Amino acid sequence: MLNKGFSEEELFTFFAQKKREDLDHKYILSSMCTLPHPVAVQAHCIFMETNLGDPGLFPGTASLEKLLVRRLGTLFHLPDAGGYATGGGTESNIQALRLFRVLRNELEYPNVIVPESAHFSFKKACDILDLEMRPVPLDPDFRMDADRAAEQVDDNTIALVGIAGTTEYGMVDPIEKLSKIAVAHDLFLHVDAAFGGMVIPFLDRPFPFDFALPGVNTIAVDPHKMGMSTIPAGCLLTREPDMLHALNIDTPYLTVKQEFTLSGTRPGAPVAGALAILDYLGVEGFKATIAGCMKNTARLIAGLETFGIKRAATPNVNVATFVCDKVPDKWRVSWTRQGHLRIVLMPHVHRDRIEAFIQEMGELDA
Ligand SMILES: *Cc1c(COP(=O)(O)O)cnc(C)c1O
């Protein structure tokens, strides 16, 4: 701690300088987060001091969280779904597996079956919950092989996990097949739609991945990714409205007597941000945004392929991957575990940026 504090001017000069050290979104092609929509920012600022960890003090904000769950449940074909706002996909995934583990606490050595493409948050979840993680190989299109998943099921299996919009290749796992396997073996099924949940419902031909499939018990979706909300905004949804109550613990000195959340203090601001943007854009607005991102994805793939840079996959959502090991320095891209160039076509990645990138990639080999 400083003995005597800075003046506001000194402080904000310093902060402005630090902000300039951050990268310009103009060159960020690797992130699943994006610039928050101005409407989300405005709503966020109004609710800055609210704490959903003590909802009796903030009933207005708490009702916004209920509305957010209702909007997302409706989008996923179950308006009465249960759920709550999390800090993101990681917390949603941990809580889903925690819920299944508690509901099957008679098992001594429980395991969960996940695709090899699963986000690393499942590793954290299995570590914390002492679950055996059984990875299932992918098919040639980088999707979970459902037959191989079924082969992994045994008496200690509590759940299957499918990914709707994989982090690395933008693929949607065969959730319909997983749903059938889950029902046949009486297993829980968690769908990780952290990224794809705000994309798939708005595609011209949506993939089946949500509560319309009878085997799906829980869904993770992140408004702070394609929902264009402020960070941190995630959501965990459950088929039964009060399923999460199995996680309740006593909270003696709060306005509520019990809670099932992982965090205690929870920000209301990003919940307001997430709801604001849903209600501002509506289905039509999201369809337009998603159509633009998908068009940009197709353009990037076509553009690089004219230079002989081949796609690694034909993605289901706006993530493009390539057999390529070099890009001009100033662009921030990422690389998959298999070494493919990976670009996420977020709303801030406008067409002119894509054209500039394609042109520079062409000049690289010239
Ligand atoms: C981003 C992502 C996560 C993790 O979400 P965080 O918000 O970073 O915790 C989990 N699963 C998938 C499929 C993701 O794309």
Side-chain angles (χ1 to χ4, degrees):
M1 283 289 288
L2 301 175
N3 195 30
K4 185 179 181 307
F6 283 135
S7 69
E8 269 185 49
E9 198 195 330
E10 285 169 319
L11 193 65
F12 287 105
T13 303
F14 173 70
F15 281 175
Q17 177 198 328
K18 286 293 154 194
K19 189 84 202 292
R20 280 194 302 273
E21 290 174 18
D22 287 346
L23 294 178
D24 189 326
H25 268 74
K26 259 169 82 173
Y27 298 107
I28 299 181
L29 305 180
S30 59
S31 180
M32 286 195 151
C33 289
T34 191
L35 289 165
H37 193 286
V39 163
V41 174
Q42 196 181 336
H44 184 109
C45 292
I46 298 171
F47 292 88
M48 206 68 92
E49 76 289 2
T50 62
N51 171 20
L52 289 169
D54 209 353
L57 303 181
F58 304 98
T61 313
S63 73
L64 294 183
E65 181 178 22
K66 287 212 169 69
L67 269 178
L68 178 66
V69 168
R70 187 153 191 92
R71 293 278 191 278
L72 293 171
T74 306
L75 187 63
F76 299 159
H77 298 104
L78 190 65
D80 290 327
Y84 79 103
T86 65
T90 300
E91 181 182 341
S92 302
N93 290 339
I94 291 171
Q95 283 282 87
L97 296 196
R98 180 178 164 222
L99 177 61
F100 302 155
R101 194 177 198 325
V102 166
L103 292 173
R104 294 293 313 274
N105 66 357
E106 75 279 7
L107 293 179
E108 208 174 339
Y109 303 106
N111 66 66
V112 295
I113 297 172
V114 309
E116 261 175 11
S117 54
H119 184 262
F120 49 78
S121 49
F122 288 100
K123 201 156 185 316
K124 298 182 189 177
C126 289
D127 254 14
I128 296 168
L129 298 164
D130 201 14
L131 289 165
E132 180 197 341
M133 187 164 93
R134 297 195 167 170
V136 175
L138 307 182
D139 69 14
D141 290 325
F142 301 96
R143 291 192 192 93
M144 187 185 202
D145 185 326
D147 296 328
R148 307 273 300 261
E151 285 166 17
Q152 294 270 9
V153 175
D154 66 17
D155 290 347
N156 287 312
T157 302
I158 57 175
L160 298 173
V161 171
I163 318 286
T166 57
T167 314
E168 288 191 315
Y169 291 92
M171 305 307 294
V172 179
D173 283 334
I175 311 292
E176 200 165 6
K177 283 189 189 165
L178 295 178
S179 165
K180 285 189 181 137
I181 298 169
V183 170
H185 295 269
D186 199 17
L187 303 171
F188 291 113
L189 172 57
H190 173 63
V191 176
D192 181 358
F195 186 77
M198 296 305 295
V199 178
I200 299 164
F202 307 111
L203 294 174
D204 290 338
R205 273 178 297 149
F207 300 83
F209 80 103
D210 63 17
F211 292 119
L213 300 172
V216 174
N217 297 100
T218 53
I219 301 177
V221 56
D222 279 356
H224 68 204
K225 289 179 173 170
M226 284 302 290
M228 294 171 282
S229 180
T230 50
I231 295 171
C235 197
L236 174 64
L237 297 165
T238 62
R239 176 179 294 277
E240 285 82 34
D242 52 5
M243 198 178 183
L244 284 161
H245 292 187
L247 296 179
N248 268 341
I249 51 115
D250 294 336
T251 51
Y253 44 81
L254 298 183
T255 52
V256 283
K257 293 298 153 231
Q258 293 193 307
E259 72 180 25
F260 50 71
T261 55
L262 189 59
S263 301
T265 302
R266 296 189 300 125
V271 171
L275 181 66
I277 191 66
L278 290 184
D279 283 359
Y280 179 71
L281 290 181
V283 171
E284 278 182 18
F286 267 93
K287 275 194 170 163
T289 301
I290 300 309
C293 293
M294 293 305 291
K295 223 169 137 185
N296 287 343
T297 305
R299 168 61 193 144
L300 177 66
I301 293 173
L304 292 190
E305 286 195 333
T306 59
F307 297 125
I309 302 169
K310 288 260 169 287
R311 74 186 80 182
T314 299
N316 301 138
V317 296
N318 44 319
V319 178
T321 49
F322 300 92
V323 182
C324 169
D325 54 16
K326 202 160 93 226
V327 302
D329 260 353
K330 67 173 182 270
W331 298 94
R332 290 307 159 119
V333 298
S334 58
W335 307 91
T336 70
R337 284 171 280 189
Q338 298 187 48
H340 293 129
L341 165 63
R342 168 184 174 269
I343 290 171
V344 191
L345 286 298
M346 295 302 289
H348 72 267
V349 182
H350 297 301
R351 186 60 179 261
D352 64 312
R353 308 310 305 151
I354 297 164
E355 296 304 336
F357 179 74
I358 292 172
Q359 191 184 339
E360 290 186 30
M361 286 296 283
E363 288 161 2
L364 205 57
D365 285 331

